[in-house]
Amino acid sequence: MKRICILVALPLLLLATSCCGGKGSLPRASEQVQAHYEMAGDQVFDDVWGVACDELHSLMILHHGEVVYERWSTGHTPEELHILWSASKTFTALAVGFAAQDGLLTVEDKVVDFFTPEELPAERSEWLEEMALWDLLVMSSGIGSDYISSAQCRRGFDEWAQKTLASKMVFEPGTRYAYNSMNTYLLSVVVSRVTGEKMVDYLDRKLFTPLGIEDFVWEESPEGYNSGGWGLFLSTESLAKTGQFMLQKGVWNGKQLLNEEWITDATSVQIMQSIGLNRSEEELARLKAENDWEQGYGFQMWLCRHGAVRFDGAWGQFCIIFPEKDAVVVALSHSGNTPRILNSIWKNIYPLF
């Protein structure tokens, strides 16, 4: 395992490399099978690179558990640890799932129970007392727009958890969807407290080592907790392995590592992004047909069109799982038009499965 701690080490992260995918690389399909996907995969590169300053750094396609297409653009390599941004959130949800499986917590547990009185605001809304881990998992905590942001955290703020818990609550937990990376940070703190170790170390034992993933780095807060909602760096193949693990409902090499029920719940609609926004039926129907950000939200995962579900990070960090097609697609990029990436995958790759 490779690990670099605290935000001051961030410039070094892009230099950290390891063997592609860690020990035990994914199997590769025959040349004949790979040829079936070559033109489609290359077209996705053309679609992304053909616009403004957008870049597609890598693309990997798995079908029936085998790599059928893989390509890296100039300057990027299979060994590179690529920043996942908010695709990191799904790994935090997996850590919560393992902790639940170990009997250390339940999604119904109240968030305040994991913090000391000194860490909680002296005067607080009754809604804070109601907030459960489930509300954090589905981005329905009730915390308003004036919460401490992940951008502020990266600039050197401290006491992330205390400042988040002291933020104004603008709706009752569970009644609305409001995307908030600090929800995920609170989950990271909870996992560390119930396991007695850093979340990344817990995931190393539970997930990374069994999958043969050694090439990972995760940022930490000044208090020593992994940032949870961002800050994880992985190679393309290691992310693809995790997608395949979820496609297989928590099974790896014939062993059930994480119970199937958690994977099913994580990849199913738990809350709709449109809840409480008073949109018309016509608008909802249009969004459902056209917008991959309006298909529902699971446990730190986005549902997509075509029956897919994805890890999703800023600037186009995607790991897309197609349960009905037994397929996984990983695309890592720097794009200001991430719907273009998904639309190209739907157009060029999805029909081949």
Side-chain angles (χ1 to χ4, degrees), residues 58-62 236 239-241 318-320 328-332:
S58 64
L59 180 65
M60 180 174 283
I61 307 171
L62 278 59
T236 304
L239 182 55
K241 284 182 179 182
F318 295 125
C319 178
I320 310 166
V328 175
V329 175
V330 169
L332 299 175

Side-chain angles (χ1 to χ4, degrees), residues 4-5 20 70 87 136 138 145 158 179 181 187 197 228 242 281 298 308:
I4 300 175
C5 299
C20 175
E70 53 187 319
L136 300 179
V138 305
S145 59
D158 58 6
Y179 191 82
S181 291
L187 289 171
E197 57 188 320
T242 310
E281 291 297 325

Side-chain angles (χ1 to χ4, degrees), residues 49 61 119 131 151 175 177 199 221 232 269 316 332:
W49 276 91
I61 307 171
E119 293 173 311
M131 186 196 300
T175 61
Y177 170 90
M199 184 174 67
S221 69
L232 178 61
V269 176
L332 299 175

Side-chain angles (χ1 to χ4, degrees), residues 303-325:
L303 278 80
C304 317
R305 290 171 290 171
H306 305 292
V309 62
R310 71 186 187 275
F311 305 50
D312 187 318
W315 312 110
Q317 322 314 319
F318 295 125
C319 178
I320 310 166
I321 302 166
F322 299 84
E324 297 175 1
K325 302 294 184 179

Side-chain angles (χ1 to χ4, degrees), residues 254-270:
K255 183 177 180 180
Q256 189 81 47
L257 302 181
L258 181 57
N259 65 77
E260 181 176 344
E261 182 181 3
W262 183 270
I263 301 292
T264 298
D265 288 345
T267 57
S268 301
V269 176
Q270 297 290 334

Side-chain angles (χ1 to χ4, degrees), residues 78-305:
E79 296 81 18
E80 177 186 4
L81 300 190
H82 201 285
I83 187 167
L84 300 187
W85 295 109
S86 286
S88 308
K89 290 178 169 66
T90 306
F91 289 86
T92 300
L94 286 171
V96 175
F98 281 112
Q101 180 172 271
D102 287 345
L104 302 175
L105 55 78
T106 73
V107 297
E108 292 84 17
D109 289 342
K110 302 304 182 184
V111 174
V112 294
D113 293 339
F114 296 95
F115 295 90
T116 66
E118 292 74 24
E119 293 173 311
L120 297 171
E123 296 183 10
R124 54 186 181 267
S125 166
E126 63 183 71
W127 286 345
L128 183 61
E129 303 287 341
E130 297 176 13
M131 186 196 300
L133 296 184
W134 183 88
D135 299 310
L136 300 179
L137 282 166
V138 305
M139 296 295 178
S140 185
S141 67
I143 295 173
S145 59
D146 57 349
Y147 62 87
I148 176 175
S149 71
S150 56
Q152 290 172 320
C153 291
R154 292 173 64 87
R155 290 197 297 267
F157 273 42
D158 58 6
E159 297 183 339
W160 295 3
Q162 292 94 314
K163 290 175 180 175
T164 301
L165 292 167
S167 298
K168 182 180 179 181
M169 298 188 69
V170 297
F171 62 89
E172 185 176 2
T175 61
R176 278 179 51 191
Y177 170 90
Y179 191 82
N180 177 339
S181 291
M182 300 312 293
N183 288 336
T184 321
Y185 176 69
L186 292 178
L187 289 171
S188 174
V189 174
V190 169
V191 169
S192 291
R193 292 188 174 185
V194 298
T195 62
E197 57 188 320
K198 294 181 188 298
M199 184 174 67
V200 71
D201 293 334
Y202 183 64
L203 271 179
D204 187 16
R205 291 193 296 108
K206 295 291 185 176
L207 180 68
F208 294 151
T209 293
L211 269 59
I213 295 173
E214 298 175 333
D215 53 346
F216 58 90
V217 175
W218 206 327
E219 292 179 27
E220 296 179 2
S221 69
E223 292 71 44
Y225 298 104
N226 294 116
S227 47
W230 68 93
L232 178 61
F233 289 70
L234 280 183
S235 69
T236 304
E237 186 162 353
S238 292
L239 182 55
K241 284 182 179 182
T242 310
Q244 185 67 28
F245 164 77
M246 298 193 74
L247 177 65
Q248 295 170 179
K249 296 292 187 181
V251 174
W252 197 259
N253 288 336
K255 183 177 180 180
Q256 189 81 47
L257 302 181
L258 181 57
N259 65 77
E260 181 176 344
E261 182 181 3
W262 183 270
I263 301 292
T264 298
D265 288 345
T267 57
S268 301
V269 176
Q270 297 290 334
I271 195 168
M272 292 300 298
Q273 290 90 344
S274 57
I275 187 172
L277 298 183
N278 298 317
R279 288 173 171 161
S280 68
E281 291 297 325
E282 293 78 9
E283 184 180 10
L284 289 174
R286 179 183 60 80
L287 291 170
K288 190 73 172 174
E290 301 174 357
N291 192 323
D292 286 297
W293 282 262
E294 295 283 349
Q295 306 296 314
Y297 196 76
F299 289 166
Q300 306 284 298
M301 297 194 77
W302 298 80
L303 278 80
C304 317
R305 290 171 290 171

